[in-house]
Amino acid sequence: KSFLNHTAYLSCYFPNSQKTDIKDLRVFWQKGDVEVVHEVYYGQEKRDNLSPKYMNRTKMDMDKWTLQLLNVGVVDEGQYTCIIQHRDKGSPRVIHRSQCLLHIIANYSQPEIEWLHTGELKPNEYLNLSCSSRGGYPEPKQMMWLISHENTTYRLMDHMDVSQDAVTKLYNVTSKLNIRVPTDTLTNISCLLHLGEQLGSLVSVSLGI
């Protein structure tokens, strides 16, 4: 996993790597079947075959056998393959192949509740609110409303509108709430964005009515 616009570290460590002379090896990384990401050709970095979008964005740490991919974007997400060939009596043979899957994470903004109501609130009318969060990745799992009064909290899950930016591939998410105006007791309303088990959740500032 790597955060958006940070450096991703892709490992290609193999047994006995410290005993092998880099000048006898051709090391290259590719994404999918066609895009060459980085190439070290018998000790020298070679740029002839690189896919243009990876030009000047990679560094190979030969001590740790790790490729650094700089300034990662959502489009860099996917599977990478590292292939190492050894120069054996003139004809190279593959001595190591490994794969790793890169996932990109971009932090969503804290969810914000917005009033969609004009004028005074009156008893028994309906209150319209929206909640939105922007600029995150991957796609969120769920957005829900938490409504608390007295000692009780209940959750409402309504339709969640998700849009994806065509260029950055980041997601924006919005949900709307339509409830009857509470009359007899203080009600606190907040909005929770669930991003998945590993990424946790974000919650808005609570709105008291």
Side-chain angles (χ1 to χ4, degrees):
K1 291 184 174 72
S2 178
F3 281 99
L4 182 75
N5 299 328
H6 286 226
T7 299
Y9 296 87
L10 309 175
S11 176
C12 185
Y13 188 81
F14 68 103
N16 299 321
S17 60
Q18 303 305 323
K19 299 176 185 176
T20 312
D21 190 341
I22 187 66
K23 291 178 181 173
D24 291 327
L25 300 179
R26 180 184 175 222
V27 182
F28 63 97
W29 286 85
Q30 61 186 44
K31 185 184 180 195
D33 296 326
V34 291
E35 289 185 305
V36 177
V37 178
H38 191 89
E39 183 177 8
V40 180
Y41 191 79
Y42 303 123
Q44 298 294 319
E45 291 199 345
K46 188 178 179 184
R47 299 174 180 269
D48 304 4
N49 302 319
L50 295 193
S51 172
K53 71 181 181 186
Y54 295 108
M55 198 69 74
N56 300 320
R57 288 185 56 216
T58 56
K59 290 181 186 174
M60 187 78 184
D61 183 339
M62 300 309 295
D63 293 328
K64 297 179 181 176
W65 294 87
T66 300
L67 181 72
Q68 298 176 30
L69 180 56
L70 311 178
N71 194 30
V72 293
V74 174
V75 292
D76 294 318
E77 192 169 65
Q79 185 160 282
Y80 290 79
T81 304
C82 168
I83 299 167
I84 300 177
Q85 296 176 334
H86 187 268
R87 183 159 45 187
D88 189 14
K89 297 176 182 175
S91 60
R93 63 184 176 88
V94 175
I95 60 169
H96 181 73
R97 179 191 291 264
S98 63
Q99 292 181 321
C100 55
L101 198 57
L102 176 62
H103 294 283
I104 303 300
I105 301 167
N107 288 324
Y108 282 84
S109 63
Q110 182 182 15
E112 284 188 26
I113 296 177
E114 182 184 353
W115 290 79
L116 301 178
H117 193 93
T118 55
E120 264 186 75
L121 284 180
K122 295 178 182 174
N124 296 321
E125 281 190 348
Y126 277 87
L127 173 65
N128 293 310
L129 300 172
S130 79
C131 179
S132 57
S133 177
R134 309 179 67 80
Y137 193 89
E139 188 173 356
K141 301 295 182 189
Q142 208 171 51
M143 184 174 256
M144 66 181 72
W145 294 85
L146 306 177
I147 300 169
S148 305
H149 51 78
E150 293 173 341
N151 293 322
T152 307
T153 298
Y154 60 98
R155 299 180 173 214
L156 281 180
M157 277 171 275
D158 214 329
H159 175 68
M160 179 175 74
D161 287 317
V162 179
S163 62
Q164 187 176 27
D165 187 281
V167 177
T168 64
K169 305 299 182 187
L170 301 180
Y171 289 100
N172 299 327
V173 55
T174 303
S175 179
K176 292 183 179 174
L177 178 68
N178 181 252
I179 61 165
R180 198 180 288 275
V181 174
T183 55
D184 53 351
T185 181
L186 173 67
T187 297
N188 287 306
I189 299 174
S190 54
C191 167
L192 181 79
L193 180 65
H194 182 52
L195 303 172
E197 287 182 19
Q198 293 183 321
L199 297 176
S201 300
L202 294 171
V203 68
S204 70
V205 173
S206 182
L207 179 69
I209 298 169

